[in-house]
Amino acid sequence: MENQNDLQSKREKAQILRQTIEAQDWDRLDSLLEQDSSLINEKSVYTDTWGEYWGFLLECVYRQQVLGVRILLKHGAKKTVGNWGDCLPTTPLEEAQRLQNQEIIALLQARERPTYQRKDLEM
């Protein structure tokens, strides 16, 4: 079982990721996940700060943030997380289809992980 310090550390890291997504700071999100992507699918850090029990990928789909979806998938976000068994009402793909966002649908249906090039690394 995790100790309180580990759980607190996870929550703090998750809060930074959440704030980065909310700010749409995609280069920072990519950099943070490059350093540590261990929380990308971690259910224990999901909270109701977005109104319900969402994960990072589903939240980006809800917000129709194509770059956020691209970066999360690049770093290993699970495309299938999100159903009532996971305490989420829909999958990212189902939500993208409901929103008719073809770009996100294509990312979620692709077999390969997408790429993302940070602006600070462009030549």
Side-chain angles (χ1 to χ4, degrees), residues 68-91:
V69 169
R70 176 178 292 280
I71 293 164
L72 290 167
L73 291 173
K74 171 187 173 186
H75 292 284
K78 292 182 182 174
K79 299 175 186 182
T80 57
V81 169
N83 58 50
W84 285 111
D86 297 324
C87 297
L88 300 171
T90 185
T91 66

Side-chain angles (χ1 to χ4, degrees), residues 5-16:
N5 290 337
D6 289 343
L7 188 56
Q8 182 62 29
S9 176
K10 278 185 178 181
R11 287 188 177 139
E12 289 169 3
K13 289 177 183 177
Q15 182 63 28
I16 292 168

Side-chain angles (χ1 to χ4, degrees), residues 57-58 60-62 64 69 90-109:
L57 182 59
L58 188 55
C60 283
V61 172
Y62 281 137
Q64 300 193 56
V69 169
T90 185
T91 66
L93 180 57
E94 290 168 341
E95 186 59 21
Q97 290 169 333
R98 187 189 70 75
L99 295 168
Q100 299 179 359
N101 188 314
Q102 297 305 313
E103 198 170 356
I104 291 177
I105 291 169
L107 287 168
L108 293 168
Q109 290 179 331

